[in-house]
Amino acid sequence: SSGINAEYGEALPTSVRSTVSSTGSIMARIGAFIAPFMVKHARSTSFYLMYSIFIGLSVLGLAFTWTIPETRDLHLRETITEGEKGRKESNRRLKQQNGL
């Protein structure tokens, strides 16, 4: 959770940062609400299945965290328009590098 919150502040434009942060917080609260019911259900059915789901989702979250790009010494976009402009420039540079 704290790693994701650090990502909000670093990579997202200011205009959407609060919306994305709030959405992430809501999803975390929903997960915290559902988890005890899943554990209770695991006791009556398959213990290994439920914990395999928990472990799998944790590993998936870890994998997504490793894909977060480094932002040290980079210009961070402040608006959605700057973000779109930067994405178009990045796509153009990739096409030039790949000879397309």
Side-chain angles (χ1 to χ4, degrees), residues 72-90:
R72 184 182 301 163
D73 298 329
L74 293 177
H75 170 71
L76 301 178
R77 290 145 178 101
E78 294 294 324
T79 64
I80 294 174
T81 306
E82 284 182 14
E84 290 174 351
K85 184 179 178 184
R87 181 179 47 85
K88 288 177 184 177
E89 290 174 7
S90 296

Side-chain angles (χ1 to χ4, degrees), residues 30-93:
I30 290 171
F33 178 77
I34 291 173
F37 296 107
M38 291 182 69
V39 171
K40 183 179 178 183
H41 181 69
R43 290 183 182 158
S44 63
T45 59
S46 173
F47 173 82
Y48 295 107
L49 175 64
M50 289 298 158
Y51 283 102
S52 295
I53 291 171
F54 287 151
I55 292 169
L57 291 174
S58 297
V59 170
L60 185 65
L62 178 64
F64 282 128
T65 302
W66 275 337
T67 64
I68 296 172
E70 177 61 54
T71 58
R72 184 182 301 163
D73 298 329
L74 293 177
H75 170 71
L76 301 178
R77 290 145 178 101
E78 294 294 324
T79 64
I80 294 174
T81 306
E82 284 182 14
E84 290 174 351
K85 184 179 178 184
R87 181 179 47 85
K88 288 177 184 177
E89 290 174 7
S90 296
N91 288 342
R92 183 180 47 79
R93 273 189 257 125

